[in-house]
Amino acid sequence: MQNFLRENLAEVKKRIEKAAQKSGRNADEIKLIAVSKTHSTKVLRDAMAAGATIFGENKIQEAEEKIKELGKKNLEWHLIGHLQSNKARRAVKLFDVIHTLDSVELAERLERICIEENRTSLSVLAQVDLAGEQAKNGIDEKGLPNLVERLKTCERLKFDGLMIIPPFFEDIEKARPFFRRLREIRDEFLPNGELSMGMSHDFEIAIEEGATLVRVGTAIFGAREKFVHR
Ligand SMILES: *Cc1c(COP(=O)(O)O)cnc(C)c1O
């Protein structure tokens, strides 16, 4: 059992509580996603023993191997990486929540696959790109209303909220306007929807701006490894 995981998890939870308190929120409204990408199932088992219940993964193949071994009981698996359309079926079979829905086409494909695979409900978040960063993926603000309209007509996809990866800033205060804007958009399109925002270096700011799901990797697991496929 790796003790540092217990300590890191406790420290992150303390930071979450402090940030919640500072902004007059209840820490219970904020879910911690332990971003486990690149780490081995052995490390994930230790994290589970230390109390982690939600894992965030960004690669289908890697997640598939881990989920096969660790299962889905008492665990939630969230996809936080870009989803290529040719991997949509595997994603539907694997994940509880997909944070990276970024086009109408992908929504339609996921809905169709859910029907084919007899999956009655799949939670999705729309990833929004507010910085016009082509490489980051995410739908731009202009395209969002159309996606939201389409999602409202989906029977299997459950539109549960919005997600953002702002540009990286040394000065984390510079991320705040992105988090704030995402909340405003959420209030407009999906009051009470989830807000997936904030990573190791900026999740306190995200919480102050309303995050309900924070995605924390290195602050829990330390530096990323190179995942070794079996
Ligand atoms: C890797 C990753 C994280 C976690 O990043 P850390 O800085 O290690 O906390 C969060 N969100 C996404 C989308 C990621 O790809």
Side-chain angles (χ1 to χ4, degrees):
M1 170 70 204
Q2 288 172 286
N3 248 328
F4 77 88
L5 284 174
R6 218 174 263 285
E7 282 165 24
N8 288 355
L9 267 169
E11 177 64 27
V12 166
K13 284 186 181 155
K14 213 189 301 165
R15 284 170 61 187
I16 290 173
E17 260 160 45
K18 251 197 190 144
Q21 225 164 37
K22 185 173 167 191
S23 45
R25 301 183 59 200
N26 188 337
D28 295 344
E29 305 165 10
I30 301 148
K31 277 195 196 168
L32 172 61
I33 300 172
V35 175
S36 47
K37 64 189 187 198
T38 76
H39 299 288
S40 68
T41 47
K42 183 181 171 307
V43 174
L44 270 64
R45 278 185 205 283
D46 288 341
M48 287 161 69
T53 56
I54 310 176
F55 288 129
E57 291 284 336
N58 69 338
K59 294 207 170 91
I60 301 291
Q61 173 85 31
E62 184 180 328
E64 209 162 47
E65 292 178 35
K66 290 176 181 175
I67 293 170
K68 209 177 203 177
E69 192 178 324
L70 300 177
K72 297 191 187 193
K73 253 199 1 220
N74 307 320
L75 277 179
E76 274 182 35
W77 295 92
H78 290 216
L79 178 66
I80 60 165
H82 178 60
L83 178 57
Q84 289 171 273
S85 53
N86 62 349
K87 293 183 179 160
R89 188 172 303 272
R90 286 157 83 195
V92 165
K93 289 181 182 170
L94 291 169
F95 290 99
D96 298 292
V97 184
I98 292 176
H99 288 231
T100 48
L101 180 61
D102 60 359
S103 73
V104 170
E105 293 70 33
L106 184 59
E108 287 173 348
R109 184 182 287 254
L110 289 170
E111 173 77 3
R112 176 170 53 75
I113 292 171
C114 283
I115 294 168
E116 289 168 4
E117 300 288 339
N118 277 322
R119 175 149 187 186
T120 51
S121 155
L122 171 62
S123 174
V124 294
L125 311 180
Q127 181 180 357
V128 185
D129 172 12
L130 292 177
E133 290 185 299
Q134 306 298 343
K136 280 264 177 75
N137 302 305
I139 191 156
D140 60 19
E141 218 180 314
K142 219 166 64 266
L144 188 63
N146 200 19
L147 176 59
V148 172
E149 277 314 302
R150 189 66 189 86
L151 283 170
K152 281 186 188 159
T153 68
C154 288
E155 289 181 356
R156 307 295 174 100
L157 297 189
K158 230 167 121 258
F159 177 37
D160 280 335
L162 302 176
M163 179 272 213
I164 191 168
I165 310 171
F168 180 83
F169 298 107
E170 261 334 309
D171 174 7
I172 53 172
E173 274 300 329
K174 293 197 171 133
R176 189 185 294 277
F178 291 89
F179 298 143
R180 186 167 292 175
R181 181 68 194 132
L182 195 72
R183 182 183 57 188
E184 288 169 0
I185 296 172
R186 190 270 321 260
D187 291 345
E188 184 183 336
F189 286 104
L190 191 71
N192 301 318
E194 305 279 354
L195 281 174
S196 167
M197 54 191 201
M199 302 166 44
S200 290
H201 69 297
D202 60 9
F203 70 78
E204 281 111 328
I205 305 256
I207 288 170
E208 287 171 32
E209 296 301 330
T212 62
L213 296 164
V214 291
R215 311 178 306 263
V216 181
T218 42
I220 296 171
F221 294 101
R224 278 188 266 285
E225 300 163 16
K226 190 169 180 345
F227 183 71
V228 182
H229 293 278
R230 300 225 172 196

